[in-house]
């Protein structure tokens, strides 16, 4: 049992925290959001330079050969800064899937480009009727010559508006809901029959609706085994959830600090509002909620690449439940304690709140994960 | 004791419903039902229609143009209008400054302003909150100095709802700098077209422009634009706020939104099963519905007591607390209901007449923004913390 | 719409409240509980004298011909006094069932005895495996000569230890869970084959396990239609729930008054503890919880004898949910604010708390009624 | 970072488990598992066995007989003992007065008392609370006056847990009546066999005798029965209370109780379906399990920080708050699980060796009484309100 950070982790934390402190002030972030694509390609290049895009990638492919816990350290810092670049879609989901399932050729083709900041990826999995259910894939991949033809609709694909390469889940057999018969395909953004409708999400990040109408890919586009992709999908979404847990802890910590500072400096009735016992107790509960979430985010990160899939999913569902509850409580209470200023666009509290809300709605909400946790045996 | 509406009350409900169905413009109804942005002229048009029919001010005394309804009739009226997706009445004239002018305004003010409130000829807004004084109104810093026949007003107000549509504002400003904080405040009625009045939008986290800052730089108003006595503004403000709470529970609107929630949850599916039939969500909706049933009955009990001459006391605080919590839970469950489709941010979709392709289901676009926006309802009109303070102190004697 | 009390109701309230005030002090109640049978036969006679045992009974049978709302008025006052006599089993359930389903002969035989305080009744319905499910009756009634032979076990029969006459639900057809095939039987306590094991419940009232082993009754013991008793059972239990809602409002009101008084008089750190803002806000929420429960208890009483069974059950389930939640919140918070004294046997707060807890567990808990409410269409 | 136990830690757990299985008397194990009343000699016997094996005081320094374990080992020890249904250690000697005597007691006190704590030769109880001073200890009114070679103690203590078994009590009493409230208090070690000590039972709402009042009427104790310096009792008491919080989260026990809850919910049925498979109840249990998982990890993080020399700060308050809330929810869900069979009150069924016919399932009898009894855990050891005050003030700086 050891909670201490490795040297690499300590270095990653320092790097990411400094970056956020120096390059991700509230005004700077506003400029980034208002710019083209709503994120900073310049910062993305900096992430590449600092090695942050290749944490899990093997050293021979340009990465640093780290693990998910190393990644989680960076995500927590990014949470503090409300970083908007498509890190989770590209690095956690996209590169993660290629790392887990790619052939040597696929890895050699894709991973160095991700590590170098030259390629953006997105995981096009959810569908208009799938909600959070993993196997509810209706998109079809039918054999077509020596390749496949893909038809279907993908919903709220995170980072989809900027992705150069999509990893698309589609059905080579079976019907929506079956865990068998799922396959993954690499589909470039300019593939014929693929249409991307990009848009901002409520927290300022980006996503897209992706439509496939007979999009043709070669057999070499298959990522992992044909018909056997469900375990890969499950792991990818677990990793996504674990990543958001780490990020959410960063957001909550920053929001709690902000709120605590507000309680100490804002006066009403001639005294700091932090002298009111009711607000003191709420703040104490917010601190507890933050620390409970932190504990579970640590657990989620440590289990994200566990060989035991059921144990992994159970731990990550537990974490997502705790993080979702803590995020909601802290977000709502912080806004309440700030009063009107808490819901204005010009003040950062509301942006933390929106990011926490978004995280709670992504890769399964509290109800979804609570049920999944309950049905997976201990 | 009889919890059913009497035959007369049922007839009244039917009459209101028939009239609203005949007179509420279809476009306005559609916009309210689907959480679209209402245009200023739609508010005004609807208020004029009500006023022309004699229903412009349900809670006003008949001498000023009220319909002379019982409390239960007022409740039915609110309920039916909400069910029929009529615009929520704007409180600033009708329920805030109107009653103050009736109680404390001069005859000239009454004659001039009250009819214009009824017909929405004036669009009023409220100049109470300041950047430094939210719940603690007594600490306000705006000031008004008498200079010959004119008051000269300087200061800054904030959270001024829909000031961008308003032509007139009621303002609290300090006129006596020696007196105790509460004693030196006066209330003024200020034409917003006057030089020195500036309105600056505040954009809220849902991306909407609903509130504003209002700046006063040497704004000169005639001496008779003060309400009642100088230095009595605090008293008038408390009177006003106690009136504002009436109806603040928004029970009729919450009932309409609950129906909308059930409709959405019946349309959304989980593995092919309607969300409303999955036990977790179903029970959350049921729990909320029960709270709302209880609050409606509590409100009716309060109205009945009012009819017997008992003034609303703790009940008003209670209605504000529970009513606002229910409104927030409704927005939260609606957002939950659409799953990942809560995330796309599509402000265009809230424009009336927009006929683009929606992202996800056509009801999804306003749901997360509404959730963010509705955090306000436990903050404004005296935050729920203030409401609990008052309940504990004034009613429970703590 | 009219919430005012009728003259009869005003009189009943005055009568019951005075009785409780004068005869049901905490010390007096302790003596009653310690006495034989754990309740007062003397007070029961007083209830009879005051007409409280015949509120719903027709005047020609000695009652006052009132309605359920009149009954609810008395129950609220009894709640304030933590009255332990078996009023709900005898008057609300027992006499209520005879009133609803009895033949003229059965009514004439039983109701005057109830009104006069000479007979105690109990409704033996729940079974060891039935939990709160209404139709989960396994007890069988088989034709036997010109009557029936009853065999089965009845669980936690309220007032069963003192009952002279049981109303037993048993199956003349079908299997546990079916709504068809249920019948009600009048079984005297000295019937052969009937065994009663009485005991106290956690709140100080009494109940019994009732065992039937070939207990023989005549055809005239049948109460209501053979095989068609389910609507009667449902109504009886709805009435029981509505009665407990009214009683709970009395308990909550008394407990809130007690707690408020404690907050004003108990000092810590040199000030009354009611000056602490956190306790003020909790007390405000307890007051709100009480008033919300009161509203729903009024609704439940007004619907208890409604002809529309689904509407009746839905309203009463809603009320039981609200009352259950309010009762739990008020009970737990009151004990917490009292500190140690709140859980001692020598102080009344804990007894209110136990009664509220018991009510929450009786005739369906919050989960049961929430689900029932949700599944009954509006 | 590695959240798994090391091989050494796993071996340690196996060693503890094997030893407990070999040495915990079957009757005691059964009684703990089934929430029966433990007899005094069962507590004493178990503590002696632990002490004989060198495990009597896990958190004591080795010089006084502690085993010299790491914080993680102590956690494992607590966890395994709870899993194996060993009696919960009594804190009064081991975790309360023991550390105070080590830190502030005389050499003679240490030599005399500490070994007797280890073997439970003395059964200690705590004389802090008084009828008028619960959370506000500084207002206590018991007094001790020096009369020659003896202190003469008068006063009344309350909420004294298991005083009916104790032979000795540590007592706070006022010795200086001029000083500020906190300054004039001293701590005494008092033999309960002395004339003038009277113990009166307090029966709690579950019908159990667990706490007592203790009266002191001119009780004369030798001068050297004071701890440390006169007037420093307040300091010692704060030191003691900070130690008491260690382990107050009762995580090991809650994990064992969670297993019991799942067992009961798998046995109970709703329309023939196991209760644990009905979605409402299943999700409530799952929610609780997740909270407990989080708390266990939070505790482990705190222990790890302790190992690196960081003193427990806010974490201790947090563990008390969440740990006690989880314990209460467990009792609440257990009571819910048995439905109507929560109601029969059958105190006999809690006696060991009672072999009457249970009313309903054999696990039902203690459940509602436990729910009532466990309301205490958010009250004692500094109520949760006090814990939040401390967290807000000391840790958050509010």
């Amino acid at each position: 049992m050891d909670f201490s950070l490795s040297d690499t982790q300590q270095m990653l934390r320092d790097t990411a925290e400094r970056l956020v402190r120096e390059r991700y002030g509230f005004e700077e972030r506003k400029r980034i959001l208002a710019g083209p694509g709503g994120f900073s390609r310049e910062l993305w290049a900096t992430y590449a330079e600092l090695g942050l895009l290749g944490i899990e990638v093997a050293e021979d492919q340009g990465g640093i050969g780290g693990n998910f816990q190393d990644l989680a350290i960076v995500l927590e810092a990014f949470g503090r800064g409300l970083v908007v670049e498509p890190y989770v879609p590209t690095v956690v989901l996209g590169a993660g899937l290629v790392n887990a399932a790619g052939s040597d050729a696929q890895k050699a083709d894709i991973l160095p480009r991700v590590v170098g900041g030259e390629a953006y990826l997105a995981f096009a999995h959810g569908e208009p009727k799938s909600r959070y259910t993993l196997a509810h894939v209706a998109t079809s991949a039918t054999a077509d010559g020596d390749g496949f033809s893909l038809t279907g609709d993908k919903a709220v694909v995170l980072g989809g508006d900027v992705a150069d390469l999509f990893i698309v889940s589609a059905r080579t057999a079976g019907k929506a809901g079956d865990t068998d018969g799922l396959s993954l395909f690499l589909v470039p953004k300019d593939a014929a029959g693929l249409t991307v409708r990009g848009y901002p999400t409520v927290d300022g990040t980006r996503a897209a609706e992706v439509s496939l109408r007979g999009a043709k890919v070669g057999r070499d586009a298959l990522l992992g085994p044909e018909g056997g992709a469900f375990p890969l999908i499950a792991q990818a979404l677990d990793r996504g959830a674990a990543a958001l847990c780490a990020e959410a802890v960063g957001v909550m910590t920053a929001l709690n600090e902000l709120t605590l500072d507000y309680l100490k400096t804002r006066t009403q009735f001639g005294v700091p509002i932090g002298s009111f016992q009711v607000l003191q107790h709420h703040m104490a509960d917010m601190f507890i909620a933050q620390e409970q979430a932190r504990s579970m985010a640590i657990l989620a990160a440590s289990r994200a690449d566990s060989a035991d899939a059921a144990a992994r999913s159970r731990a990550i569902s537990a974490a997502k439940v705790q993080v979702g509850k803590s995020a909601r409580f802290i977000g709502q209470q912080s806004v309440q304690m700030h009063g009107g200023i808490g819901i204005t666009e010009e003040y950062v509290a509301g942006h933390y709140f929106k990011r926490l809300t978004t995280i709670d709605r992504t890769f399964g909400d509290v109800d979804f994960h609570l049920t999944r946790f309950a049905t997976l045996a201990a | 004791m009889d919890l059913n509406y009497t035959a007369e009350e049922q007839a009244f409900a039917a009459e209101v419903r028939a009239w609203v169905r005949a007179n509420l413009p279809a476009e306005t109804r559609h916009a309210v039902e689907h959480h679209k942005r209402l245009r200023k002229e739609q508010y005004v048009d609807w208020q004029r229609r009500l006023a022309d029919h004699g229903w412009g001010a349900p809670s006003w005394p008949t001498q000023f143009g009220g319909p002379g309804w019982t409390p239960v009739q007022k409740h039915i009226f609110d309920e039916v209008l909400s069910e029929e997706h009529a615009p929520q009445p704007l409180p600033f004239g009708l329920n805030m400054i109107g009653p103050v002018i009736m109680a404390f305004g001069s005859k000239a003010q009454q004659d001039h302003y009250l009819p214009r409130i009824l017909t929405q000829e004036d669009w009023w807004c409220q100049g109470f909150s300041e950047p430094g004084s939210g719940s603690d109104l007594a600490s306000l810093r705006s000031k008004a100095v008498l200079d010959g026949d004119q008051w000269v007003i300087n200061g800054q107000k904030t959270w001024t709802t829909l000031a961008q549509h308003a032509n007139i504002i009621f303002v609290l400003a300090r006129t006596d700098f020696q007196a105790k904080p509460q004693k030196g405040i006066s209330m003024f009625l200020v034409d917003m077209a006057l030089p020195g009045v500036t309105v600056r939008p505040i954009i809220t986290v849902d991306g909407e422009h609903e509130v504003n800052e209002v700046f006063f730089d040497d704004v000169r108003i005639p001496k008779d634009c003060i309400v009642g006595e100088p230095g009595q503004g605090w008293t008038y403000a408390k009177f006003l706020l106690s009136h504002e709470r009436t109806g603040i529970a928004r029970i009729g609107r919450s009932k309409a939104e609950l129906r909308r929630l059930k409709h959405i949850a019946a349309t959304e599916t989980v593995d092919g099963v309607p969300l409303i039939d999955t036990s977790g969500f179903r029970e959350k909706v049921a729990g909320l519905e029960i709270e709302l049933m209880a609050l409606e009955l509590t409100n009716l009990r309060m109205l009945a007591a009012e009819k017997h001459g008992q003034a609303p006391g703790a009940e008003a605080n209670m209605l504000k607390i529970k009513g606002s919590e229910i409104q927030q839970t409704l927005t939260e469950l609606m957002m939950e209901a659409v799953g990942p489709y809560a995330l796309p941010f599509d402000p265009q979709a809230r424009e009336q007449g927009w006929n683009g392709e929606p992202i996800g289901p056509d009801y999804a676009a306003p749901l997360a923004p509404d959730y963010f926006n509705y955090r306000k309802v436990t903050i404004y009109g005296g935050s729920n913390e203030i409401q609990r303070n008052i309940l504990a102190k004034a009613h429970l004697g703590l």
Side-chain angles (χ1 to χ4, degrees), chain A, chain B:
Chain A
M1 183 80 55
D2 179 14
F3 289 91
S4 57
L5 299 187
S6 69
D7 290 347
T8 308
Q9 287 170 343
Q10 194 60 60
M11 184 209 70
L12 284 168
R13 164 167 296 185
D14 293 347
T15 302
E17 286 187 349
R18 186 174 329 112
L19 186 90
V20 160
R21 208 164 45 238
E22 293 172 0
R23 307 281 297 273
Y24 242 92
F26 183 58
E27 293 304 321
E28 185 62 35
R29 179 176 183 269
K30 233 194 263 184
R31 273 190 294 277
I32 291 171
L33 283 173
F39 74 102
S40 166
R41 288 180 187 266
E42 185 193 335
L43 274 171
W44 194 257
T46 305
Y47 302 159
E49 279 162 34
L50 295 169
L52 302 181
L53 303 181
I55 289 175
E56 291 181 305
V57 175
E59 293 181 46
D60 59 12
Q61 261 135 7
I64 64 174
N67 61 22
F68 196 93
Q69 293 173 324
D70 305 333
L71 206 58
I73 300 277
V74 174
L75 280 156
E76 185 180 334
F78 279 9
R80 295 185 71 97
L82 289 174
V83 166
V84 295
E85 281 68 43
Y87 191 85
V88 168
T90 298
V91 175
V92 179
L93 297 178
L97 274 167
V98 174
N99 229 345
S103 64
D104 289 346
Q106 287 169 330
K107 287 187 187 170
D109 171 35
I110 299 167
L111 294 179
R113 286 194 284 145
V114 169
V115 173
E118 294 135 36
Y120 297 94
L121 311 184
F123 183 31
H125 171 64
E127 301 190 355
K129 293 282 174 201
S130 69
R131 205 174 170 89
Y132 303 116
T133 311
L134 270 56
H136 206 279
V137 173
T139 298
S140 64
T142 47
D144 183 354
D146 59 349
F148 298 88
S149 168
L150 308 183
T151 293
D153 293 297
K154 294 295 181 177
V156 198
V157 177
L158 299 186
D161 65 329
V162 73
D164 302 299
L165 185 64
F166 290 91
I167 298 170
V168 176
S169 62
R171 209 158 257 301
T172 42
K175 58 173 199 310
D178 293 350
T179 50
D180 285 344
L182 289 166
S183 306
L184 296 176
F185 298 92
L186 295 161
V187 187
K189 71 171 169 186
D190 48 10
L194 179 129
T195 319
V196 175
R197 178 185 180 190
Y199 49 79
T201 52
V202 289
D203 61 334
T205 62
R206 301 290 176 118
E209 301 296 286
V210 176
S211 147
L212 299 128
R213 291 290 173 271
K216 180 95 176 56
V217 291
R219 175 149 284 277
D220 59 355
L222 193 62
L223 182 72
E226 182 177 336
F230 182 76
L232 292 168
I233 294 169
Q235 183 176 15
L237 294 174
D238 276 350
R239 286 166 45 90
L244 292 187
C245 286
E247 185 189 340
V249 169
V251 182
M252 285 185 244
T253 307
L255 180 52
N256 270 347
E257 285 169 8
L258 181 78
T259 306
L260 185 56
D261 189 55
Y262 190 80
L263 290 185
K264 288 177 182 172
T265 51
R266 167 77 171 174
T267 61
Q268 291 274 276
F269 307 104
V271 294
I273 60 174
S275 64
F276 294 112
Q277 195 191 25
V278 161
L279 302 192
Q280 291 177 353
H281 281 211
H282 286 171
M283 196 71 232
D285 285 331
M286 289 155 72
F287 173 76
I288 293 173
Q290 165 197 308
E291 290 307 306
Q292 290 281 82
R294 185 187 308 283
S295 293
M296 293 305 280
I298 291 171
L299 176 71
S302 83
R303 296 283 184 266
D305 283 321
S306 162
D308 179 344
R312 177 198 73 215
S313 292
R314 194 169 191 275
I316 290 175
S317 278
K320 194 70 169 49
V321 168
Q322 178 66 58
V323 166
K325 285 182 178 172
S326 291
R328 189 176 293 200
F329 178 72
I330 290 171
Q332 293 181 350
Q333 288 292 333
S334 292
V335 166
Q336 181 70 21
M337 295 212 241
H338 273 93
I341 189 88
I343 50 168
T344 64
E345 196 67 11
E346 3 182 275
Y347 183 71
V348 66
H351 296 270
Y352 290 124
F353 174 52
K354 290 200 285 186
R355 181 64 191 147
L356 290 176
T357 305
T358 298
I359 287 174
D360 190 19
R361 319 269 93 228
T362 305
F363 305 143
D365 61 10
V366 168
D367 285 357
F368 171 83
H369 283 290
L370 189 61
T371 301
R372 194 170 77 140
F373 174 83
T375 49
L376 287 166
Chain B
M1 208 181 295
D2 183 355
L3 267 62
N4 299 308
Y5 287 132
T6 61
E8 291 76 24
E9 286 160 350
Q10 288 178 40
F12 174 73
E15 178 198 348
V16 173
R17 180 167 289 110
W19 186 86
V20 174
R21 288 190 178 171
N23 289 278
L24 177 62
E27 194 196 7
T28 303
R29 166 194 285 268
H30 183 271
V32 170
E33 182 174 3
H34 296 96
H35 294 207
K36 306 274 183 181
R37 288 179 205 107
L38 279 188
R39 293 187 301 274
K40 176 176 178 179
E41 66 269 22
Q42 288 174 301
Y43 282 110
V44 173
D45 168 73
W46 176 238
Q47 179 60 29
R48 292 228 168 123
R49 286 170 191 251
L50 287 169
D52 287 350
H53 196 63
W55 292 354
S59 56
W60 284 15
T62 46
Q63 78 203 81
F64 295 115
W69 288 337
T70 65
V72 171
Q73 281 179 304
K74 283 186 262 176
H75 176 80
I76 290 171
F77 183 75
D78 172 58
E79 166 105 12
V80 173
L81 262 63
S82 294
E83 267 176 23
E84 296 295 327
H85 307 294
Q88 292 289 303
L90 294 165
F92 313 106
L94 282 173
N95 300 325
M96 298 173 93
I97 196 64
V100 170
I101 290 173
M102 287 175 215
F104 307 107
S106 65
K107 180 73 171 56
Q109 286 170 338
Q110 293 176 350
D111 290 345
H112 177 73
Y113 289 117
L114 296 179
R116 295 166 64 92
I117 289 174
L118 261 172
T119 57
Q120 194 93 5
E121 195 163 331
D122 285 330
W123 186 303
W124 282 90
C125 66
Q126 177 187 33
F128 279 14
S129 289
E130 298 186 2
S133 63
S135 296
D136 178 18
L137 266 187
S139 69
L140 61 84
R141 302 169 70 176
S142 291
K143 57 187 179 179
V145 178
L146 194 59
D147 180 18
D149 272 0
Q150 293 181 313
W151 291 98
V152 185
I153 302 185
N154 278 284
Q156 180 186 352
K157 296 295 176 177
T158 192
W159 313 130
T160 313
T161 301
L162 298 182
Q164 70 267 38
H165 296 333
N167 64 303
I168 186 158
I169 182 169
F170 51 92
V171 174
L172 287 180
R174 193 168 296 288
T175 46
D176 182 342
F177 302 88
Q178 317 304 324
K180 281 200 216 159
Q182 286 96 331
K183 291 284 173 189
I185 294 171
S186 304
M187 189 183 287
F188 300 94
L189 312 176
V190 182
D191 181 347
M192 294 179 77
L194 287 173
V197 179
T198 319
V199 175
R200 193 185 78 85
I202 298 174
I203 304 303
T204 41
V205 280
D206 52 346
E208 297 295 310
H209 173 200
E210 190 177 62
V211 288
N212 302 270
E213 291 181 299
V214 182
F215 298 88
F216 299 86
D217 293 308
D218 288 331
V219 177
R220 294 185 162 265
I221 58 170
K223 199 174 166 181
D224 61 359
C225 286
I226 191 168
V227 177
E229 298 297 315
Q232 292 300 305
W234 179 253
T235 308
Y236 307 155
K238 283 203 297 182
F239 175 86
L240 179 154
L241 290 171
S242 77
H243 271 75
E244 190 198 0
R245 280 199 297 271
T246 313
I248 210 162
R250 296 217 170 197
I251 290 163
R253 186 177 145 79
S254 287
K255 286 176 76 174
E257 291 296 298
L258 179 68
R259 276 190 295 275
R260 185 175 162 79
L261 169 63
K262 287 180 172 178
H263 168 72
I264 291 174
T267 312
E268 293 288 315
T269 57
V270 182
D271 288 326
V273 177
L275 179 63
I276 193 71
D277 294 334
T278 64
S279 79
F281 203 82
R282 184 183 63 189
E283 264 89 46
K284 281 202 273 193
V285 175
L288 182 64
E289 181 166 0
I290 292 168
E291 284 195 64
L292 183 54
M293 284 170 76
L295 191 66
E296 184 178 18
L297 281 162
T298 303
N299 187 38
L300 287 165
R301 284 168 51 213
M302 172 184 148
L303 293 174
E306 223 175 277
K307 200 166 66 176
H308 291 96
Q310 292 170 255
E315 295 85 355
N317 307 102
M318 198 172 128
L319 290 171
K320 165 68 164 72
I321 292 169
K322 290 303 287 183
S324 56
E325 289 175 356
I326 287 169
Q327 289 174 66
Q328 289 184 336
T329 306
L330 276 163
T331 63
E332 196 168 316
L333 291 182
M334 292 235 220
M335 177 179 68
E336 276 186 44
V338 291
Y341 273 125
L343 301 186
F345 182 58
D346 197 6
Q348 285 184 313
R350 306 196 70 170
E351 275 307 317
Q352 295 181 57
W354 177 77
N355 51 16
E357 173 81 4
I359 304 166
D362 59 5
Y363 44 69
L367 302 183
D370 280 353
Y371 168 69
F372 300 140
N373 180 285
Y374 267 64
R375 305 318 302 172
K376 74 187 177 191
V377 300
T378 50
I379 294 170
Y380 67 24
S383 74
N384 282 18
E385 286 79 14
I386 298 286
Q387 303 293 338
R388 286 190 173 88
N389 283 347
I390 296 171
L391 189 48
K393 288 185 176 144
H395 182 71
L396 302 175
L398 289 172

